[in-house]
Amino acid sequence: MVSQLTEAMIVNGVVLATVLASDVGPARKIGRMRLLRPVIAAAVIIPIFMDHPATHGNGLALEIAGIAAGVLGGLGAAALMRVYRSPATGKPVSRAGWPYAIFWTVIIGARAAFSYGAAHWFTGSIVAWAIANQVSEAAITDGLIFMAIVMVIVRTAGLAARASRLPRPALAAS
């Protein structure tokens, strides 16, 4: 059985690698698979890494906070991307550079540091907080996973929305 720390690190690594590989660089095609890939990843990650999300109390509140953080992070990531029509093909493409890569690396790095810290640096404090607030370790992990997945899905939805609002290319004169 894989530890929750290992699960969190796997999700962090998969999210960071997927996002950077698909987004960083000029003229990244915005096609069906690029938009579906995060949804497919979420469909795979959720059943593998989440057994029983909290359905009430402070555990649920923490998971909702993870979702809210994911929405804000996804909107921030989307704002760091430029969406435009390719001059060569007329199809929607995006461009993301160093600020985008740094943004994702800092967010994922902070989540990884928190996960590692919870297991090694401030275990006693987080256990005391979790007991006092009746929050399970699984709810904390689930909140971080929700944050990662929602962040990627919101970024993707923003990308799709911006691509769909691009003006149609002018027809070439015959």
Side-chain angles (χ1 to χ4, degrees):
M1 181 162 181
V2 178
S3 74
Q4 288 186 328
L5 175 60
T6 302
E7 289 177 357
M9 295 304 182
I10 290 169
V11 171
N12 286 333
V14 167
V15 168
L16 185 60
T18 300
V19 166
L20 295 181
S22 62
D23 291 346
V24 174
R28 304 300 284 208
K29 178 181 162 188
I30 301 173
R32 183 180 315 264
M33 275 314 295
R34 182 164 177 209
L35 298 174
L36 285 176
R37 194 175 303 124
V39 176
I40 292 167
V44 170
I45 287 171
I46 289 173
I48 291 174
F49 295 111
M50 298 180 102
D51 291 329
H52 297 86
T55 57
H56 64 282
N58 290 334
L60 176 60
L62 186 65
E63 291 173 354
I64 291 170
I67 291 169
V71 168
L72 293 175
L75 292 172
L80 292 171
M81 297 176 78
R82 179 173 171 239
V83 178
Y84 61 100
R85 288 205 180 274
S86 167
T89 66
K91 297 193 185 259
V93 295
S94 69
R95 171 188 300 268
W98 284 107
Y100 182 85
I102 291 167
F103 176 81
W104 276 98
T105 303
V106 167
I107 296 289
I108 299 295
R111 287 190 6 200
F114 174 81
S115 296
Y116 186 85
H120 298 288
W121 299 328
F122 47 86
T123 308
S125 298
I126 201 158
V127 167
W129 176 86
I131 291 169
N133 291 285
Q134 298 179 343
V135 174
S136 69
E137 181 182 359
I140 295 169
T141 301
D142 291 350
L144 291 170
I145 292 170
F146 280 138
M147 178 190 169
I149 291 168
V150 169
M151 191 171 166
V152 172
I153 289 174
V154 167
R155 183 269 303 161
T156 302
L159 190 64
R162 290 170 62 197
S164 72
R165 288 193 313 253
L166 289 173
R168 294 283 171 212
L171 296 175
S174 321

